[in-house]
Amino acid sequence: DARVTQTPRHKVTEMGQEVTMRCQPILGHNTVFWYRQTMMQGLELLAYFRNRAPLDDSGMPKDRFSAEMPDATLATLKIQPSEPRDSAVYFCASASTGNIQYFGAGTRLSVL
Amino acid sequence: QKEVEQNSGPLSVPEGAIASLNCTYSDRVSQSFFWYRQYSGKSPELIMSIYSNGDKEDGRFTAQLNKASQYVSLLIRDSQPSDSATYLCAVNIVGDSDMRFGAGTRLTVKP
């Protein structure tokens, strides 16, 4: 079953807490993207990796967000400390080089 | 100026009509163009890709690309209520690097 898997699907937390979101890309895909989607801003690219190396994280607030890819089957996005303005749906997508991006189901984050 | 621009809508069409969704992009070196459909509460899913000028048809969907005008569109023929969703235009700006998305156009097909 070739699909991008994201966990958790929903997360409710309090301001100041650490949040970790995980993504398992499609097997064989070498590029992983993290997006954030809100009603106001639409779909924003936060960061992406190719062959596990970060290529662009300019869309990510560096002071509280971090993205890593510890191995080819796992990408993580962490927020520490979380703030109410971080409430959004976070999507992971994966692709083969130069090809179409396939999206996971997303993590719906609510920071109270 | 945003890199990829779409009319946010909402666009409302009656069932059976043709829905026309438009997208313009700013970077002339853009090479690949995509339309994603996103149902409410769901993730974007690819419905069309187009790489060269002209029309590309897939069932009820036709993508049209005009690189000289920096314009890409999606036509949905015989629109169905199940087509009601937000349609995201995406453009691959430079080679095989990241894809830029428009804000999306919300389409409603009324029975």
Side-chain angles (χ1 to χ4, degrees):
Chain A
D1 186 16
R3 57 179 175 174
V4 178
T5 303
Q6 288 187 249
T7 56
R9 292 292 312 278
H10 304 274
K11 177 71 176 179
V12 180
T13 191
E14 293 186 346
M15 182 174 62
Q17 296 298 304
E18 177 177 303
V19 175
T20 299
M21 292 169 271
R22 293 177 174 82
C23 170
Q24 180 178 348
I26 292 172
L27 188 64
H29 282 189
N30 66 342
T31 311
V32 175
F33 303 81
W34 282 106
Y35 292 91
R36 175 172 62 186
Q37 188 175 43
T38 62
M39 289 293 293
M40 294 299 295
Q41 298 297 326
L43 199 62
E44 302 174 276
L45 178 68
L46 296 176
Y48 76 100
F49 295 77
R50 178 159 298 128
N51 297 322
R52 297 178 54 200
L55 288 192
D56 185 356
D57 61 1
S58 59
M60 203 165 65
K62 303 290 193 305
D63 56 339
R64 298 182 301 107
F65 285 60
S66 63
E68 295 180 346
M69 201 160 176
D71 63 58
T73 64
L74 176 65
T76 62
L77 179 66
K78 292 186 180 181
I79 308 174
Q80 170 61 27
S82 58
E83 298 181 0
R85 59 181 167 150
D86 301 328
S87 297
V89 180
Y90 290 81
F91 287 109
C92 174
S94 73
S96 298
T97 303
N99 285 336
I100 295 159
Q101 294 183 27
Y102 294 89
F103 283 77
T107 295
R108 184 174 297 273
L109 174 64
S110 296
V111 184
L112 306 177
Chain B
Q1 181 186 6
K2 291 185 178 179
E3 293 171 348
V4 182
E5 299 222 35
Q6 297 181 251
N7 187 326
S8 62
L11 174 66
S12 181
V13 300
E15 184 174 357
I18 295 175
S20 178
L21 305 162
N22 303 316
C23 173
T24 58
Y25 58 95
S26 60
D27 196 320
R28 289 190 172 275
V29 300
S30 300
Q31 299 175 327
S32 309
F33 307 86
F34 307 89
W35 284 99
Y36 282 78
R37 178 178 60 200
Q38 186 175 23
Y39 291 115
S40 181
K42 301 295 185 181
S43 57
E45 57 176 333
L46 181 76
I47 54 172
M48 289 286 288
S49 59
I50 187 166
Y51 305 96
S52 55
N53 280 328
D55 295 359
K56 179 181 178 182
E57 188 174 317
D58 184 0
R60 295 186 296 110
F61 297 95
T62 298
Q64 299 175 317
L65 175 61
N66 184 325
K67 290 188 177 181
S69 301
Q70 296 175 238
Y71 173 94
V72 58
S73 65
L74 179 70
L75 301 178
I76 307 174
R77 290 182 301 281
D78 188 23
S79 296
Q80 302 297 307
S82 59
D83 295 326
S84 298
T86 295
Y87 289 81
L88 301 167
C89 172
V91 176
N92 191 297
I93 297 296
V94 178
D96 60 356
S97 61
D98 63 280
M99 188 183 295
R100 300 293 175 175
F101 283 84
T105 298
R106 187 157 54 94
L107 171 67
T108 300
V109 180
K110 296 186 175 180

